[in-house]
Amino acid sequence: MTYDEILTKYEPVIGLETHVELGTRTKMFCGCKTDFGAEPNTQVCPVCLALPGALPVANRAGIEATIRIGLALNCDIAEWCRMARKNYFYPDMPKNFQTSQYDEPLCTEGYVDVTVDGKEYRIGIERVHLEEDTGKTLHVGGATGRIHGATESLVDYNRAGIPLVEIVTKPVPGLGTLAPEIAKAYVAELRDIVRSLGVSDVRMEQGSMRCDVNTSLNLPGEEWGTRTETKNVNSLRSVERAVRSEIIRQAGILDEGGKIFQETRHFQETTGDTRPGRSKETATDYRYFPEPDLVPIAPDPAWVATLRDSLPEKPSSKRARLRLDWGISEIDMQSVANAGAVELIEETIAAGASPAGARKWWMGELARRANEQDVDLAAVGATPAQVAALQKLVDAGKLNDKLARNVLEGVVAGEGDPADVMIKRGLEVVNDTGALTAAVDEAIAANPDIAAKIRDGKVAAAGALVGAVMKTTRGQADAKTVRDLILSRLGVS
Ligand SMILES: [Zn+2]
């Protein structure tokens, strides 16, 4: 069966659990720093290493950030709740339990609206809760970096205890063939909302935002099927691919009369399908109980009201406002948002480029490069200020389009700002009339037949001479100037 055929027979139900690593200066329950990329095991202390007798104290900034995320997702904020111990045994978790939340989450009952193909879908948010991250295990000596074949395993506890917020949707039925696209649109919108709050850098490729995708299939009118959970899907594109491939895999099994088992699966970036992981624990396996070492969280309603009043403009409202400012269609704005280019274009305009000029570079040449290198647009190697400077050189007639692309290539390669690259690579448009006139005269002398035609009034034939001049100047002449010069040298204008 093709994907479309599968969805005439089965109905998918999806659900998403997203972990966001907060950008607090210190960890959630101790004063250790959270700098990314520090020497292993240098940002640790008795609390986050769980040495005997160490006692945790909650980080107010972590609680505040979680409440702000909850408010931005239209949630109710608990007036009183507790942290809970989630018991499981992992070498990269020093306490051998995770301080998390269970039946008393900080935020509940919210929603996010997303637009796909011009239609709005409301994704219900079941809960937003606060927990801590684990450390990292590195398996060495093997070929694959996995534990299989490794000779030793090293543990880095720098990440252990960094605050994580988990955002869990309600199950979303009724999306049909659009389920993968809507899942991706939801994660993109969530990322934009969290980024607008300034509480996390939400970089999926660095793991500060990670997504687990639940998928099940059922026949129309029947109960929801058994779901699988695809873990740690690390890009927007992978969210879409993971849902689609899991729908296809499950349909294949169900069609042969097989059963779906509740399990975690791992998304394979290379093939786009999922592989089985461990069979899924249920809540009882974790033996949750209220954390006895921390006081309950009881945010003052007046404080919550202040946080609510200070929320930034919603990304969706901002997009609507910018769309009018930039004078583009809703579909074009949607592609800008999907490419993660809204802020980049906004900053490029603020640095002096026109909306059309800014959008052209980010959505054209730079988007193509980002796609080729499989990186986010923001990580492609050019800054908004550089793109604005490039466009100014074009506007000033110092670069034509082709030369500008060449300069941009140098900027992305780290050769410097556009003006420097233009000079270093010798790419400035030739405006020196003496040099151009010599090139024009040479082209006329080499093509007497064409020159005669032009003298007889067949001005359209000038194109061939323009081409010849552009070739000798290696594309560095302005085509219109060349054309005018040819006509004037031949006495036609
Ligand atoms: Zn610590």
Side-chain angles (χ1 to χ4, degrees):
M1 282 197 293
T2 66
Y3 176 75
D4 285 334
E5 283 165 2
I6 289 170
L7 290 158
T8 57
K9 182 167 178 186
Y10 296 103
E11 293 175 345
V13 180
I14 60 166
L16 293 115
E17 297 171 16
T18 310
H19 284 94
V20 171
E21 201 174 86
L22 295 180
T24 51
R25 200 172 53 78
T26 56
K27 292 186 180 179
M28 190 57 222
F29 302 112
C30 64
C32 287
K33 282 196 180 151
T34 55
D35 301 344
F36 185 77
E39 275 288 295
N41 298 308
T42 54
Q43 299 181 155
V44 291
C45 76
V47 175
C48 56
L49 287 176
L51 301 187
L55 284 173
V57 177
N59 180 343
R60 181 187 166 105
I63 292 170
E64 178 175 318
T66 310
I67 293 176
R68 292 181 72 223
I69 291 173
L71 290 170
L73 300 178
N74 308 292
C75 289
D76 300 331
I77 308 302
E79 290 182 11
W80 190 92
C81 65
R82 287 174 295 185
M83 303 301 291
R85 280 191 190 186
K86 181 179 186 180
N87 295 280
Y88 63 107
F89 295 90
Y90 255 38
D92 50 14
M93 199 172 53
K95 300 176 187 172
N96 272 328
F97 63 83
Q98 182 185 27
T99 307
S100 180
Q101 292 196 288
Y102 179 46
D103 50 350
E104 300 171 10
L106 195 45
C107 321
T108 49
E109 292 296 320
Y111 62 85
V112 174
D113 291 328
V114 298
T115 305
V116 172
D117 286 353
K119 201 172 161 224
E120 192 164 270
Y121 298 86
R122 176 158 290 186
I123 310 297
I125 301 291
E126 188 170 289
R127 58 189 284 149
V128 176
H129 76 243
L130 182 57
E131 59 189 33
E132 61 181 340
D133 212 343
T134 61
K136 269 186 195 163
T137 309
L138 192 68
H139 304 293
V140 292
T144 58
R146 304 192 72 105
I147 195 165
H148 185 78
T151 52
E152 54 210 316
S153 296
L154 305 169
V155 191
D156 175 10
Y157 289 117
N158 281 353
R159 199 177 67 176
I162 289 185
L164 274 186
V165 170
E166 182 170 346
I167 300 149
V168 184
T169 70
K170 297 183 177 182
V172 196
L175 301 180
T177 52
L178 284 178
E181 282 90 344
I182 293 170
K184 177 186 168 196
Y186 161 78
V187 178
E189 190 69 24
L190 184 62
R191 182 190 62 178
D192 289 352
I193 290 171
V194 175
R195 188 191 283 142
S196 76
L197 296 170
V199 295
S200 168
D201 59 6
V202 283
R203 296 173 80 151
M204 295 188 82
E205 75 285 1
Q206 281 186 6
S208 58
M209 178 165 173
R210 336 194 253 274
C211 213
D212 302 338
V213 183
N214 293 314
T215 314
S216 72
L217 290 182
N218 59 273
L219 290 166
E222 294 197 355
E223 269 183 44
W224 289 349
T226 302
R227 67 188 165 88
T228 59
E229 180 182 1
T230 305
K231 299 291 275 184
N232 292 336
V233 183
N234 287 335
S235 71
L236 290 178
R237 195 162 144 258
S238 299
V239 171
E240 184 177 347
R241 291 167 80 205
V243 174
R244 188 181 302 268
S245 77
E246 195 51 20
I247 287 174
I248 293 169
R249 188 190 70 86
Q250 291 187 13
I253 294 171
L254 294 172
D255 255 27
E256 288 174 358
K259 268 184 139 178
I260 305 299
F261 296 99
Q262 186 171 342
E263 63 181 353
T264 59
R265 301 184 64 85
H266 294 283
F267 182 69
Q268 311 288 309
E269 279 294 339
T270 44
T271 57
D273 57 13
T274 67
R275 296 280 160 76
R278 63 197 151 98
S279 66
K280 178 72 179 160
E281 290 88 350
T282 58
T284 47
D285 294 327
Y286 291 124
R287 292 162 294 118
Y288 283 98
F289 61 87
E291 170 57 56
D293 286 345
L294 285 162
V295 293
I297 302 168
D300 181 350
W303 180 47
V304 174
T306 314
L307 295 177
R308 189 192 304 274
D309 291 342
S310 65
L311 286 180
E313 181 183 25
K314 276 201 297 191
S316 55
S317 320
K318 180 174 169 175
R319 285 199 300 272
R321 175 172 62 77
L322 291 176
R323 188 176 81 70
L324 294 177
D325 286 355
W326 299 351
I328 62 174
S329 70
E330 273 186 44
I331 289 173
D332 284 345
M333 191 69 207
Q334 199 64 52
S335 20
V336 168
N338 289 346
V342 177
E343 276 77 21
L344 295 168
I345 293 175
E346 200 187 6
E347 287 166 28
T348 305
I349 295 168
S354 66
R359 197 161 61 90
K360 183 182 102 176
W361 293 114
W362 286 111
M363 296 304 289
E365 191 68 11
L366 291 168
R368 188 183 61 74
R369 284 173 175 277
N371 207 20
E372 262 173 28
Q373 295 162 22
D374 209 9
V375 295
D376 270 8
L377 199 48
V380 80
T383 65
Q386 289 171 327
V387 174
L390 182 75
Q391 183 58 37
K392 279 184 201 164
L393 292 171
V394 174
D395 293 342
K398 292 191 171 177
L399 291 175
N400 60 25
D401 214 64
K402 183 162 165 264
L403 295 170
R405 279 204 297 276
N406 198 327
V407 168
L408 191 58
E409 181 189 276
V411 171
V412 168
E415 293 172 23
D417 285 333
D420 301 335
V421 176
M422 180 177 81
I423 292 163
K424 275 187 220 157
R425 290 196 173 192
L427 292 171
E428 192 169 356
V429 165
V430 177
N431 277 326
D432 171 358
T433 323
L436 270 189
T437 307
V440 165
D441 287 348
E442 196 183 304
I444 289 171
N447 299 279
D449 302 354
I450 299 171
K453 275 188 196 167
I454 298 169
R455 280 201 193 88
D456 289 346
K458 287 180 185 155
V459 175
L465 292 186
V466 173
V469 174
M470 293 304 271
K471 210 170 173 184
T472 52
T473 57
R474 291 182 302 137
Q476 279 172 253
D478 176 57
K480 190 178 174 305
T481 312
V482 171
R483 190 173 190 279
D484 291 347
L485 203 52
I486 290 167
L487 297 182
S488 99
R489 298 296 279 178
L490 293 173
V492 185
S493 64

